[in-house]
Amino acid sequence: MRYRIGTDPGADGYPLDQGIFISMAVLSLAIGIGFVYAGLKSRHYWLTIWGSGLSLSSVAYLLYLALRP
């Protein structure tokens, strides 16, 4: 594969930090709560189970970050 002179192919892109992962966990928590509500309202219980799992895993990740030394 060819690259342009002076371009480092590994240096492109935005470096990921912890804030991106925290914001995705909070967004996943909100989506999971919405799935639970929509699943209960429409009686699609698979959606309720999916939303519960998404919410619980998001809360577990946020608690892990909050309680680690």
Side-chain angles (χ1 to χ4, degrees):
M1 180 179 279
R2 292 182 166 182
Y3 296 103
R4 294 181 188 167
I5 296 174
T7 302
D8 185 13
D12 294 336
Y14 181 74
L16 298 177
D17 60 347
Q18 196 64 31
I20 292 173
F21 294 109
I22 292 172
S23 63
M24 287 307 299
V26 171
L27 179 64
S28 297
L29 178 63
I31 290 172
I33 291 170
F35 280 175
V36 169
Y37 176 75
L40 290 174
K41 193 78 169 168
S42 64
R43 292 186 298 182
H44 291 286
Y45 297 117
W46 65 269
L47 188 59
T48 304
I49 293 169
W50 189 274
S52 299
L54 183 61
S55 298
L56 289 175
S57 62
S58 299
V59 167
Y61 179 71
L62 291 172
L63 283 175
Y64 166 75
L65 290 178
L67 297 177
R68 72 177 182 175

